[in-house]
């Protein structure tokens, strides 16, 4: 519950504190220049990124992407790193505040992360059903998926805090139809390998990576892009 969490302004930007959580869990801060996500954004190659393949981003083609379940924007950062512009929707107000702060701090500077953050824009919308039809080339969805007991135990500490904050996204099935409306070419859904299809709807194709799969719902080919 949000009452268990508090945002704190520090010299390094906003931090999210879990007031009632285990002592071992440190405040969560979001800085695109540090950690695995920042490293991947700077060093990954097109060939190795299943997400980028699933979205249809290539050396020449840079579809305009809407990330309608932005979370901590690790995926959105990757999308921006490969040259697409990416608009973000996130419904949780505390996560939105962290994102806004991290994007603004990220824009300061002249490095690749600053370029990425220039291509990332946090929208005021709180659900993809507020987006006009065919507004984006591609819509990306990565709602939370309920974890089994063993998986829960393996979740890293900062992610435990994030999951406690945003909950299980039990209404995730309701995202697919409006996402298909908002997209011109395709919708891509990230799922754990064992998960059922979003809304029980079979995708047109899938891209399987080590930890996840990307279910791709194609509306039309990219020929006109
Ligand atoms: C698994 S996280 C996304 C992680 C993200 N892909 C990343 O790379 O950091 C899912 C996020 O989607 C948000 N979310 C879930 N359903 C949503 C909805 N209907 N509209 C907007 N945001 C939603 C949740 O609050 C949560 O922050």
């Amino acid at each position: 519950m949000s009452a268990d969490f508090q945002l704190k302004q520090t010299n390094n930007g906003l931090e999210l504190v879990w007031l009632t959580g285990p002592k071992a869990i440190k405040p969560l801060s979001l800085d695109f220049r540090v950690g695995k996500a920042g490293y991947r954004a700077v060093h990954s190659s097109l060939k190795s990124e299943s997400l980028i393949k699933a979205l249809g981003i290539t050396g020449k083609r840079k579809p305009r992407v809407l990330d309608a379940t932005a979370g901590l924007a690790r995926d959105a950062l990757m999308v921006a790193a490969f040259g697409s512009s990416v608009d973000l929707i996130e419904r949780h107000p505390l996560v939105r505040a962290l994102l806004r702060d991290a994007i603004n701090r990220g824009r300061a500077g002249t490095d690749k992360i600053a370029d990425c953050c220039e291509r990332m824009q946090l929208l005021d919308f709180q659900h993809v059903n507020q987006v006009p039809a065919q507004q984006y080339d591609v819509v990306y969805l990565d709602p939370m998926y309920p974890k089994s007991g063993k998986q829960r135990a393996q979740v890293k500490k900062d992610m435990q805090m994030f999951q406690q904050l945003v909950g299980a996204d039990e209404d995730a099935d309701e995202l697919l139809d409006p996402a298909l409306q908002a997209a011109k070419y395709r919708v891509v859904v990230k799922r754990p390998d064992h998960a059922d299809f979003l809304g029980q709807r079979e995708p047109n194709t899938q891209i399987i990576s080590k930890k996840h799969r990307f279910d791709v719902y194609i509306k039309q080919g990219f020929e006109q892009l």
Side-chain angles (χ1 to χ4, degrees):
M1 269 171 49
S2 292
D4 295 336
F5 294 87
Q6 197 175 56
L7 284 174
K8 214 170 87 189
Q9 186 69 54
T10 75
N11 290 340
N12 300 317
L14 278 186
E15 276 185 359
L16 183 68
V17 186
W18 187 1
L19 302 168
T20 53
K23 289 223 161 48
I25 298 193
K26 292 199 201 109
L28 176 67
S29 58
L30 189 55
D31 184 342
F32 295 129
R33 290 192 171 83
V34 299
K36 215 156 108 189
Y39 182 87
R40 266 174 75 208
V42 174
H43 294 99
S44 279
S45 74
L46 264 177
K47 271 191 230 146
S48 64
E49 286 299 335
S50 309
L51 165 68
I52 300 304
K53 274 190 231 159
L55 296 173
I57 298 172
T58 65
K60 284 194 189 140
R61 188 174 57 218
K62 310 290 178 197
R64 209 168 150 246
V65 177
L66 171 68
D67 181 345
T69 54
L72 297 177
R74 291 157 302 187
D75 290 330
L77 182 68
M78 187 61 59
V79 174
F82 284 95
S84 273
S85 69
V86 50
D87 285 359
L88 285 76
I89 295 179
E90 168 53 53
R91 67 176 163 192
H92 198 291
L94 299 184
V95 182
R96 259 204 323 277
L98 282 177
L99 280 172
R100 189 170 297 113
D101 179 64
I103 293 172
N104 285 340
R105 276 182 293 116
R107 284 180 183 167
T110 53
D111 58 355
K112 182 163 179 186
I113 297 294
D115 291 345
C116 292
C117 289
E118 286 296 339
R119 285 193 282 275
M120 291 163 66
Q121 185 180 225
L122 182 63
L123 302 182
D124 289 332
F125 294 145
Q126 290 183 30
H127 197 284
V128 63
N129 64 12
Q130 295 168 287
V131 176
Q134 306 212 354
Q135 195 78 358
Y136 291 90
D137 296 323
V138 178
V139 176
Y140 175 59
L141 301 173
D142 174 23
M144 287 283 188
Y145 189 82
K147 296 204 166 21
S148 66
K150 189 175 162 214
Q151 288 170 320
R152 260 200 305 274
Q154 289 167 343
V155 172
K156 286 196 190 130
K157 290 210 162 53
D158 56 343
M159 283 300 106
Q160 276 177 31
M161 175 168 173
F162 181 71
Q163 288 178 4
Q164 179 71 23
L165 177 70
V166 302
D169 290 350
E170 272 156 19
D171 54 349
D173 285 349
E174 289 160 27
L175 287 162
L176 189 55
D177 276 327
L180 283 161
Q181 285 276 328
K184 219 164 160 183
Y185 297 99
R186 60 173 67 179
V187 172
V188 175
V189 182
K190 185 180 186 178
R191 305 292 272 168
D193 324 334
H194 62 278
D196 44 3
F197 299 130
L198 195 62
Q200 310 299 324
R201 200 149 350 143
E202 201 170 325
N204 300 89
T205 182
Q206 294 182 308
I207 296 204
I208 317 273
S209 75
K210 261 189 240 155
K211 288 192 199 149
H212 307 101
R213 55 166 222 265
F214 295 94
D215 293 344
V216 184
Y217 299 83
I218 296 176
K219 287 184 78 178
Q220 59 170 323
F222 278 125
E223 293 81 15
Q224 293 162 29
L225 192 66

